[in-house]
Each structure stands twice: as structure tokens, then as C-alpha cells.
Amino acid sequence: MTDPVIVGVDGSVSSLEAVDAAAREARLRGAPLRIVHAFGHAPGHRPAGGPPWSPADYGLEPMARGVLADAEERAHAAAPGVAVTRSVVAGEPLEVMEIESRSASLAVVGSRGLSGFSGLLLGSTAVHLAAHGRCPLMVVRGRTEPSGAVLLAVDGSDAGGAAVEFAFAEAALRGAPLVALHVWNTWSERAYEGPGDPLNAMVVDIERLQEAEQRLLDETVAPWQKVFPRVTVERRLERARIRPALLDASSDAQLVVVGARGRGGFTGLLLGSVSQALLHHAHCPVTVVRGQG
């Protein structure tokens, strides 16, 4: 059976928009949809060593069930025929979603909410979930009902291979073209070291760098074009500042796909600055895909 698409809801407009997107993604995949509402903590003091708290203990169960019922109705309207289950879970939303992601094909959240998931794009919560979740994470943001190509942010990293595969598969599912965009500049690459140069004498050879970046783009995309021959692909190489260029390109896309961590930055970071910028500022939904390991 296909792993479910999961979506976190709190009753906010943003989370209900995430339900719409999650239902459509579930339909594309032929997967069930699981709607999750998490309570972060008990609204009061409980004795140490006592039984785990439950929403029912505080009369919150009817409210939670109402939130879930509204979300389920929304899901059926967005994608008729999709099998929907729903669950109220006691726990911090981040922890709940991380656990739920272990058996999901895709996790979907809104960009802002009322409570619970409301911190997802404020501070480190979305970054943490994108970095530590066990499946791709889609953050629904930007334009309402975006259209256009699937935009793949190509970085050429080993970890980014999972994002490339995901982007091709998503374009195929949606019947959309794919724009594979690789943005480069001399700050994002090692400068060319000419023969005999001392270690501290770096010579930037723009033409050579551009040729190398084009090869990187071609070598990243070509194998997957063979796997998905029906996907129309535009290979786009652009010399610019990376984050602004990708954000600008997202204004014409229906979805941006990016790896969790690229070639630059510090190896200990689980989510790169480009991914974070897109999560916060893209003009359309963003899916962050982690590599293995």
C-alpha cells in the first residue's frame, strides 16, 4: 500500500489551504490522506508520574474533532475519492509531525496558523522539521492555486540527488514541465587555480567556471530525463546571487523543489540557507527533500 500523505492542521486558514494541497498530492500519488491535529501540552498542571494527559480530560476533544471534520470536508472537496483518516495526537506539533513522517510519502504544512503549527515559519520549527523529517516536506505558501512549471533548484551535491528525482516524479504526476535552474557565481565556487600558482593566489577564470557549471547541470539532469522521457525539461543556467534568483524564478512556478543541504556552507548544518530562504519567501509552495544519511 502506498504510504499516506500527512497534513498538520490547527483550524487556521493557512492549514486548511495545506489540506487542499495535501489532498491533491494524495490523489496524484494514489495515496490515502492522513489529517493530524496535535495538542502541544496540557492546559494546566498535572502531578508528576500521573497518567498521560488527553484532550478529552479538558473538554477539548469536541473542538479538535470539529477542526478535523472541517479539514476532512475540505479534503473531499479538493480531491473527491481520496481516502481520508484523521487523528488527534497529544504531543508537541513538531515531535508529532516528525514521528508521523516516518511512515509517510509526503508531509504538508501551512505557512502560518493559529496555534500548534503556527510557529512553522517563525523561528526554527519549519527548518527543524525540514531537516529532521523522514519524508519530503511541502510548505504551502505564496500564490493561491499557483500554476506553471515545477522548479528544481540544482546544486550538484550528492545529497541533492533525492530532490532531483522527486522533482522529476512530481512534474510527471502533475503533467507539468520542469525547469532545472542552476544558479552560480564566483562566490559559490572555488576559483580556478592555475598551474604553478601558490595556494593563496587564486585566479578566477569565468569562462572555465561557466563551462564547469553547465556540465554540472547537464550531468545532474540528463540521467533523469531518460527515466522520465515524457517530462519536458528546460535546463537553465544563470550567473547571479543564488537566493534572489531562485526566489524570483518561483514567481512563475507552481512548486519549488530543493534539497535540504547543498554544496556550500558548513557540513554540520542539516538545512542550507537557500532552502531556508525559499521556505520563508518563495512565491509558491516549496518542497524540501532530504538525501539519505
Side-chain angles (χ1 to χ4, degrees), residues 94-188:
L94 171 59
E95 180 182 357
V96 168
M97 287 295 284
E98 188 172 326
I99 292 172
E100 291 280 346
S101 73
R102 297 173 186 175
S103 58
S105 59
L106 178 71
V108 183
V109 294
S111 59
R112 60 183 61 85
L114 297 174
S115 61
F117 294 99
S118 61
L120 273 170
L121 287 186
L122 304 177
S124 61
T125 310
V127 170
H128 184 87
L129 186 57
H132 295 279
R134 304 298 181 89
C135 69
L137 171 70
M138 174 185 286
V139 175
V140 178
R141 55 164 299 103
R143 308 189 318 276
T144 303
E145 299 183 3
S147 60
V150 172
L151 175 65
L152 167 64
V154 175
D155 61 31
S157 67
D158 292 338
V164 179
E165 179 180 5
F166 182 91
F168 269 89
E170 194 74 2
L173 286 172
R174 294 166 178 250
L178 175 71
V179 173
L181 173 59
H182 178 47
V183 184
W184 69 281
N185 55 59
T186 56
W187 287 100
S188 64

Side-chain angles (χ1 to χ4, degrees), residues 14-234:
S14 180
S15 73
L16 292 177
E17 291 173 348
V19 170
D20 293 344
R24 291 191 291 266
E25 290 294 323
R27 180 175 58 188
L28 287 172
R29 290 164 167 74
L33 175 66
R34 178 172 169 80
I35 303 173
V36 181
H37 181 76
F39 283 90
H41 54 78
H45 175 71
R46 294 182 70 86
W53 82 278
S54 165
D57 297 338
Y58 294 87
L60 299 176
E61 192 82 11
M63 182 272 288
R65 295 298 175 189
V67 168
L68 291 174
D70 290 344
E72 182 175 355
E73 182 178 354
R74 184 107 174 201
H76 286 308
V82 169
V84 179
T85 59
R86 57 193 195 187
S87 179
V88 178
V89 183
E92 292 296 333
L94 171 59
E95 180 182 357
V96 168
M97 287 295 284
E98 188 172 326
I99 292 172
E100 291 280 346
S101 73
R102 297 173 186 175
S103 58
S105 59
L106 178 71
V108 183
V109 294
S111 59
R112 60 183 61 85
L114 297 174
S115 61
F117 294 99
S118 61
L120 273 170
L121 287 186
L122 304 177
S124 61
T125 310
V127 170
H128 184 87
L129 186 57
H132 295 279
R134 304 298 181 89
C135 69
L137 171 70
M138 174 185 286
V139 175
V140 178
R141 55 164 299 103
R143 308 189 318 276
T144 303
E145 299 183 3
S147 60
V150 172
L151 175 65
L152 167 64
V154 175
D155 61 31
S157 67
D158 292 338
V164 179
E165 179 180 5
F166 182 91
F168 269 89
E170 194 74 2
L173 286 172
R174 294 166 178 250
L178 175 71
V179 173
L181 173 59
H182 178 47
V183 184
W184 69 281
N185 55 59
T186 56
W187 287 100
S188 64
E189 297 299 327
R190 292 178 298 174
Y192 165 58
E193 299 182 43
D197 284 346
L199 293 178
N200 62 348
M202 306 293 281
V203 178
V204 177
D205 185 332
I206 297 297
E207 183 176 349
R208 179 165 175 164
L209 281 176
Q210 183 168 341
E211 291 174 354
E213 299 304 331
Q214 185 65 59
R215 285 196 302 272
L216 182 151
L217 175 59
D218 293 341
E219 291 171 1
T220 298
V221 172
W224 292 106
Q225 284 189 272
K226 296 178 181 178
V227 178
F228 295 92
R230 296 187 179 181
V231 174
T232 301
V233 180
E234 176 188 350

